[in-house]
Amino acid sequence: DAKTTQPPSMDCAEGRAANLPCNHSTISGNEYVYWYRQIHSQGPQYIIHGLKNNETNEMASLIITEDRKSSTLILPHATLRDTAVYYCIVRVALLISNFGNEKLTFGTGTRLTIIP
Amino acid sequence: DGGITQSPKYLFRKEGQNVTLSCEQNLNHDAMYWYRQDPGQGLRLIYYSQIVNDFQKGDIAEGYSVSREKKESFPLTVTSAQKNPTAFYLCASRGDGYNEQFFGPGTRLTVL
């Protein structure tokens, strides 16, 4: 799986949009970008994933550059409960034949702090 | 409510003792996983199971054992052979045809 680079920490004011960047310059054509977050002492929570088109769900939006070498996770109206470590992961989509490719490689992520 | 449960949330054991961590899911997921997380670090895969009665070693399986006798359950045993067992242990599951994994709340194991 391609390696990702994220800033170690970011602050964002409550109510503003939080924009979390991720670089994945060695991404392959069949690799997706996944975002998870982990609130302190809890299990990681899936947020969103995408291949090349921008994606939006009830939690966030994912913007992937045209060359796919970087992406940005957007939390449109950050709340205090969004304070967490955010992980950007790049991996191939699982197929029936990918039995040996189950691993999610979590780096150290970005620690996002929402400021009241 | 559907989800993944892990028990207990905090666990203490004496050095040299085996201990089993519970993971149960009622999501009807085939695939289940065990990860270990150390302070300030990402997750490392210990074992995973694609289907009942089958499981595979992950990156750091030494000193751990698992079983998958039922679809809903994937217990992890931390044996005395694990040299540094104090860590946060996370269980996850994945539905067939889906790529995202869903995680339990975790068990924090401390060896005294």
Side-chain angles (χ1 to χ4, degrees):
Chain A
D1 292 338
K3 182 177 178 179
T4 62
T5 304
Q6 299 177 252
S9 64
M10 292 180 61
D11 292 340
C12 178
E14 187 178 15
R16 305 296 294 268
N19 297 289
L20 292 89
C22 180
N23 287 325
H24 31 79
S25 58
T26 59
I27 191 170
S28 300
N30 63 346
E31 288 182 314
Y32 285 70
V33 180
Y34 285 80
W35 283 84
Y36 282 76
R37 73 180 182 184
Q38 187 175 23
I39 297 169
H40 182 63
S41 294
Q42 297 182 22
Q45 177 189 23
Y46 165 80
I47 302 173
I48 198 168
H49 74 281
L51 183 62
K52 55 183 178 181
N53 296 322
N54 297 338
E55 302 288 344
T56 296
N57 63 20
E58 65 277 5
M59 289 183 67
S61 294
L62 174 61
I63 308 298
I64 302 174
T65 58
E66 192 168 343
D67 63 7
R68 300 205 329 117
K69 293 185 177 182
S70 66
S71 61
T72 301
L73 178 74
I74 301 173
L75 308 178
H77 305 287
T79 70
L80 298 179
R81 288 178 295 180
D82 292 323
T83 292
V85 178
Y86 287 77
Y87 297 99
C88 171
I89 299 163
V90 174
R91 61 163 299 161
V92 297
L94 283 176
L95 303 172
I96 295 174
S97 60
N98 284 152
F99 279 177
N101 195 26
E102 289 287 337
K103 182 173 62 175
L104 285 179
T105 302
F106 285 74
T108 53
T110 296
R111 183 172 298 279
L112 175 67
T113 302
I114 306 302
I115 310 298
Chain B
D1 286 337
I4 304 173
T5 57
Q6 291 184 243
S7 61
K9 188 170 179 63
Y10 298 96
L11 186 59
F12 298 88
R13 76 160 166 111
K14 294 181 179 179
E15 194 171 346
Q17 291 180 336
N18 293 353
V19 62
T20 298
L21 281 60
S22 168
C23 177
E24 304 280 332
Q25 54 98 0
N26 60 3
L27 301 166
N28 199 34
H29 287 175
D30 285 314
M32 296 187 73
Y33 312 79
W34 274 105
Y35 292 88
R36 168 185 172 136
Q37 186 174 35
D38 293 284
Q41 304 296 313
L43 278 65
R44 292 184 290 168
L45 182 65
I46 305 173
Y47 268 98
Y48 65 95
S49 169
Q50 294 281 354
I51 198 168
V52 173
N53 292 324
D54 183 67
F55 48 83
Q56 306 293 330
K57 292 182 179 180
D59 295 328
I60 54 166
E62 185 175 353
Y64 299 97
S65 66
V66 293
S67 63
R68 187 81 188 277
E69 297 177 2
K70 299 186 299 181
K71 188 175 186 178
E72 308 81 41
S73 179
F74 191 38
L76 174 75
T77 297
V78 184
T79 74
S80 56
Q82 168 51 233
K83 300 302 180 187
N84 186 21
T86 294
F88 189 45
Y89 290 88
L90 288 155
C91 179
S93 70
R94 178 181 63 80
D96 189 29
Y98 295 89
N99 281 275
E100 56 269 28
Q101 294 183 13
F102 294 92
F103 286 81
T107 292
R108 190 167 299 278
L109 172 66
T110 302
V111 175
L112 305 172

